[in-house]
Amino acid sequence: MDHRLFLLILSFLICSFLGAALTLLGRRIMQSRQAKLRQRLGGESLDTDPEQLISPEYRNTSDGIVGQIDQRFSRFMAQTGVDLDPDTAFLVAVAVGLLLCGVVLLWRDDMLESAVAMLVGMASVLAYYSWRRSKRRSEIQEQLPDVMDSLARAVRAGQSLDQAIKLVGQTSAKPLGPEFKRCAKQLDMGLSVDSAMRSLSRRAPISEIRILATTFMVQRRSGGSLPTTLERLSHVIRDRINYHRQFKAATGAGRVSTTLIAVAGPLVAAYLIIFQREYFDRFTATSAGQALLASAILLQVVGITWIYSLLKSDY
């Protein structure tokens, strides 16, 4: 294919995806502004739409592998806390990948480097989403003991569990405040406590939330002193948080060295592909070089997985 024709097609695709991404982002921003304005004027936001209260894992998706991937990605985006719907988030990743691909193609005029740049761009956006998800989970874990104390005080004051969940949703800060507010709206729509708590545990998949959900479900069925149970769980979760902090401090050197080793290999490979292309082509031209490259990639993945399993604090 002629390079000019290819560049024309690539430029059209980049402009199309960027235009679509900007359009979706603009629509999302306008919806957010309208929701804030309506909340100021009438006290209710636009998220009272029943469709918005349905968790991503319960929404209708197409069957097959594509539907499962879409469902998993929707659940993943719901756990990140990013104010983007799954379609917009994926489109942003594709747009960044195509933009980086076009820049590298115009700079180096090489198809392999452009393809690698596109993968790196998309992986960078997905890595940002994963970082947001990990950060949100840490914030939820830090905030959960105070929320459980608030629930215990509300129930001890004579309020029902539904009223306590609604009160916590209105008074707590992000990220748990909006989550409990969503649970309260689900309960107002007639959803059971078990279903609302299962939905919460899927949007915030940490062990402490699962323990809280199990506590609510057991208390709903068997009874018991819920305030006392919540206060004891609050102390247990604080002890778990202190343990995680001590564990991270003790394994900090191992985590840093593992990160450096994991990043060094791909950076050296990218340097060889971009600046030492002849050496890389000569190395991969032989069967021995290809075997060594495949072995290096395999050993890198196995080593990182093994070290990650050793440094993992939750099982």
Side-chain angles (χ1 to χ4, degrees):
M1 180 184 293
D2 186 25
H3 286 287
R4 294 182 179 179
L5 180 60
F6 178 79
L7 289 177
L8 180 62
I9 296 174
L10 183 62
S11 301
F12 172 77
L13 290 176
I14 292 175
C15 293
S16 300
F17 277 104
L18 285 177
L22 291 176
T23 301
L24 291 175
L25 285 174
R27 186 186 66 177
R28 188 67 180 179
I29 292 173
M30 292 299 297
Q31 291 178 352
S32 178
R33 290 181 178 178
Q34 291 176 0
K36 292 180 180 179
L37 180 60
R38 185 168 179 176
Q39 186 175 10
R40 290 177 181 177
L41 295 177
E44 292 293 334
S45 61
L46 294 178
D47 58 358
T48 54
D49 184 8
E51 180 65 21
Q52 300 295 328
L53 301 178
I54 302 176
S55 298
E57 64 270 12
Y58 294 132
R59 294 178 185 172
N60 293 327
T61 56
S62 57
D63 297 331
I65 299 178
V66 177
Q68 294 178 1
I69 294 176
D70 181 69
Q71 191 175 25
R72 289 179 181 272
F73 187 73
S74 299
R75 185 183 304 176
F76 171 77
M77 289 305 302
Q79 296 170 3
T80 59
V82 179
D83 193 18
L84 294 174
D85 57 88
D87 297 335
T88 306
F90 181 74
L91 190 57
V92 169
V94 174
V96 172
L98 285 175
L99 180 61
L100 190 59
C101 174
V103 171
V104 174
L105 183 62
L106 293 175
W107 174 39
R108 302 290 298 178
D109 194 16
D110 187 270
M111 293 296 299
L112 178 60
E113 296 177 7
S114 302
V116 173
M118 181 175 179
L119 294 178
V120 170
M122 296 183 64
S124 300
V125 178
L126 295 178
Y128 170 73
Y129 293 153
S130 299
W131 173 76
R132 286 294 301 268
R133 179 193 181 194
S134 177
K135 182 181 178 181
R136 181 173 178 268
R137 293 177 65 177
S138 299
E139 292 175 351
I140 289 175
Q141 191 177 34
E142 293 287 340
Q143 189 183 1
L144 188 58
D146 295 334
V147 170
M148 295 180 69
D149 290 337
S150 299
L151 286 171
R153 288 193 296 268
V155 175
R156 195 181 296 276
Q159 293 185 347
S160 64
L161 180 58
D162 297 0
Q163 293 174 342
I165 291 175
K166 186 175 182 179
L167 178 63
V168 169
Q170 293 174 350
T171 58
S172 300
K174 292 183 179 180
L176 271 181
E179 293 296 336
F180 275 94
K181 188 176 181 180
R182 187 174 184 176
C183 290
K185 291 180 180 179
Q186 289 176 339
L187 294 175
D188 291 339
M189 293 176 61
L191 210 64
S192 63
V193 176
D194 295 0
S195 300
M197 289 298 104
R198 290 194 187 98
S199 177
L200 176 61
S201 63
R202 288 186 177 94
R203 295 193 304 271
I206 60 176
S207 57
E208 289 81 0
I209 290 292
R210 289 194 291 268
I211 293 174
L212 178 62
T214 303
T215 301
F216 284 160
M217 289 186 289
V218 171
Q219 195 276 336
R220 200 75 167 185
R221 297 174 182 176
S222 304
S225 179
L226 182 60
T228 304
T229 304
L230 290 176
E231 290 174 352
R232 291 177 180 176
L233 283 178
S234 176
H235 291 299
V236 171
I237 292 176
R238 284 192 173 92
D239 292 338
R240 286 174 57 87
I241 292 174
N242 293 329
Y243 161 73
H244 285 301
R245 291 172 178 171
Q246 295 175 1
F247 183 82
K248 288 182 179 180
T251 60
R255 293 177 185 275
V256 172
S257 60
T258 302
T259 304
L260 293 177
I261 294 173
V263 172
L267 289 179
V268 172
Y271 174 79
L272 292 176
I273 293 175
I274 296 175
F275 298 103
Q276 300 288 337
R277 185 58 183 276
E278 296 180 357
Y279 177 79
F280 182 79
D281 292 339
R282 191 184 307 169
F283 179 77
T284 56
T286 61
S287 57
Q290 295 175 0
L292 288 175
L293 181 61
S295 301
I297 295 174
L298 179 62
L299 291 176
Q300 181 89 353
V301 173
V302 171
I304 293 174
T305 305
W306 179 49
I307 296 176
Y308 174 77
S309 63
L310 293 177
L311 297 177
K312 186 178 179 181
S313 57
D314 291 330
Y315 293 93

